[in-house]
Each structure stands twice: as structure tokens, then as C-alpha cells.
Amino acid sequence: MDALANRNVLLGITGGIAAYKAAELTRLLVTGGARVRVAMTPAAQTFVTPLTLQALSGNPVHTELLDSAAEAAMGHIELARWADVVLVAPATADFIARLAHGHANDLLSTLCLATRAPLALAPAMNTQMWLHPATQANCEQLAARGVTLLGPGAGDLACGETGPGRMLDPAELHAALPDLLGGGALSGLRVVVTAGPTREPVDPVRYLGNRSSGKMGFAVAQAASRAGASVTLVAGPVGLPTPSGVRRVDVETAAQMHAATIDAVDDCDIFIAAAAVADYRPAQVAGEKIKKQAAKLNVELERTSDILAEVAALEGGPFTVGFAAETDDVAGYAREKLASKKLDMIAANRVGEGLAFGTDDNELELLWPDGGARLPRAPKSELAQQLIAQIAERYDATRR
Ligand code: CTP
């Protein structure tokens, strides 16, 4: 495992003889624990086959922009979002020119326009083509837009000339990528996240539930994975897609969430309890559907186990983060919960007034034993990234 472990690398290959080196680069990335997806231009496929890259990356290779089957599996926008970093190696003079001018007439150029991930190019071409003012101007323009140019190196080229234009070696490209990513704050750590509501059966057709959408917990799992962690998400019943690279365990009841979580936290470093777990469940579940007869129906409830408190109390247990949803005195109740459950951090939010349940925005008040921070209202995905950055900082300060 290396600094790219669990990071999503999108490798673009364009049509040059150096394309064969992309196979070795893929192998290096995968061996280091990175998740690799490959997109090839039609010209690249004349130098090396998609089958080779598929075998090495362990994923289907993306070649067409307008292929409905490929789009159904992972659409180009989804792929652009999936990437933590995009590296085009080799990048031909033609591809560099098209990128400089914002073309989107094939899959790879479209991905480069659509992604917000850092983009790097490893140019590879004949020396005169590299030195041509058009290529140089295109590269300057791309560099000014924040694109990183890795190489080219100088040496003997396949065309028989000697000079600049050689693609950097796979090992050099591999070594350059972590800098582009800024290093994952949770690189190499194992994180368990609970998310969503639970459902407590009353009879075969009814249950007691709550309004949690799971959006915050799913965003936290995604952000932790993007920060380089290996993430297990224990999810209650929600209709959300699994964040890329995250291992998901679906559960329904508080008891199932408890069992799955205790199992998953066994060897984890950080536990984040974002689920809205039922505090009570029906003491007896009726075997048959309850018929409406009496004017009143009493359902006796019993306490469920507090998963968060139990994990926080584990001997040598993980760095533990709880959530607190409160309607009033948010910081006061949260500080009480932080102390009584012996947590390392608590993320408190006010519920009601269009905040928290089901919405896309939220705001959080973070507290830890000797400090705190306020994360102002923002989309849950952004808030989750900030939360993960704070957790990484506190984890480094107290556990590393
Ligand atoms: N939690 C849990 N298991 C439970 C109940 C809650 O892991 N059975 C976790 C939640 O995921 C959340 C935190 O505990 O991270 C806060 O839960 P909450 O229900 O708000 O706190 P309580 O201590 O139960 O206090 P109260 O309901 O009285 O506010």
C-alpha cells in the first residue's frame, strides 16, 4: 500500500507509441492499492488493447462517449466525478491541442472538461512536435489553467530522434501523483460509518421508523474514502447509491446495525456514528398483522443498545465521533453527550427550520474534549469534507 491507496485514479491513454508504458503504470498503481479506471481514445487502442488494461486495472475500460451500455454501467459524468485525480499518459500533441481549446468530441476530452479533480498530462511525442510553438503555447495555456505537466523527458525517441519528447517512466509518473492529490488526510486508515434510519418491526407489515435520509452519513463515507481511508458503511434502509470505493453493509433494525457495526469496528481506526438509530423498539413483534379492533392500541417499547456508547467504551477502541440532533441548546446537550458517552468528538446540529433531515444542506457545531469548531451552513457533501478534515486533524493530534 502507498500514498495512493484507496484513491481513485482515472488514467487516460491517447494514441502514441508510449501507450505501451501505460500498462506498466496501471500495474504499479493497482499494486500500490489505488483504484484505477482507464479511458482510451480510438488511436490509443491501435497501440495497446483495452483487454490488456482491463486485465491490469480489474475494471472495464472506457472507450466510447456515446455507448449506451457503458453509460448505463458508469456514465461519463459519473466517471469524471469518481476520479480523485486524472492522468493522461501518454498525452499526444493532438490531444493537448484539443484540450487547450476545450474540445469534447470524444470520451477522454469530455472527461477532462467535466472533472473537478486535478488533471496531469504526460506528454509524449517527436521532439519537433514538442518544440513547435503551437504545442508550447497549448501547454502554457493549460498550465495557466492549473493542469500539471509531467515531463516530457529527453532521450532517444521511438522515431529515431534524440531530444525532449519522451514520456516519463511509469515509476516517475507514479511517484508524482500523490503531490497532485495533496496526500489523503486519512490515507491507510480504516473507517466505519453508520448512516440512515432504522426500522423496528411492530408486526409483519408495520414498523417504527424516523425521517433520516442517510444523506449526511453517505456524504461522510464518501469524503472519508476520498481522503484515502478504507471505508465500511453500515446503512439503514435508504434509497441512496453506494459512494464509490466504499464497502456497504445494508441493515434494517437497530439490532442488525449493532451487530454489523460491532463486527466492522473490530479492527478500525475511526468510527463515525451518523445513523439515526431507534432508541426504542417494540418489546414484542406480533406474528400476524395486528387487526384494528380496540379504540386504543398499546405497543410496549424496550430500549435498544446504544451502538455509539458501546464502541466508545471498547478497550483500545477506535477514535469515536457521534452526532447529536437537537432542537434547542445544541452546544449544551452535545457537550453533555460528548462527556457521558466518552466520545472523541461530537457533531451537533439543530433539527427543524429546513435543516438536517432530508435536506441537502446542513450546519454543524463540532466539539471535542478541549475545543470545538463551527462548520457553517453548506451542502452536505462539502460539510462532510470539512468534517473529515477536522476528524483527521484531531486523530493525528491524539492517536498518531
Ligand atoms: N446512537 C447509536 N445507537 C443508538 C442511538 C444513538 O449509535 N441506539 C448514536 C447516533 O448515531 C448518534 C448519537 O448516538 O451518533 C446520538 O444519538 P441521540 O439519539 O441523539 O442521543 P441520545 O444519547 O440517545 O440522547 P437523546 O435521544 O436523549 O437526545
Side-chain angles (χ1 to χ4, degrees), residues 42-43 70 75 91 94 98 115 125 131 144 175 182 191 198 213 216 227 233 246 284 293 304 307 353 360 362 398-399:
D94 175 66
R98 287 196 287 123
T115 192
M125 65 198 74
L131 293 175
V191 173
T198 61
S213 66
M216 191 66 210
L233 173 62
V246 166
Q284 306 286 333
Q293 284 164 345
T304 58
I307 305 168
E353 303 157 27
D360 290 325
N362 202 356
T398 58
R399 300 286 179 114

Side-chain angles (χ1 to χ4, degrees), residues 194 273-279 304-309 321-326 337 341:
T194 63
V277 190
D279 289 323
T304 58
S305 325
D306 189 321
I307 305 168
L308 176 63
V321 183
F323 271 73
E326 309 288 351
K337 278 182 197 173
K341 296 197 190 188

Side-chain angles (χ1 to χ4, degrees), residues 71-97:
E71 284 291 297
M74 193 190 234
H76 64 278
I77 296 296
E78 209 182 324
L79 192 54
R81 285 190 189 134
W82 171 87
D84 292 325
V85 64
V86 180
L87 169 63
V88 181
T92 59
D94 175 66
F95 185 76
I96 291 172

Side-chain angles (χ1 to χ4, degrees), residues 258 261-262 265 268 271 306-320 341 343:
H258 176 262
T261 304
I262 295 301
V265 294
C268 90
F271 173 58
D306 189 321
I307 305 168
L308 176 63
E310 205 171 304
V311 173
L314 289 174
E315 187 88 25
F319 182 95
T320 302
K341 296 197 190 188
L343 307 178

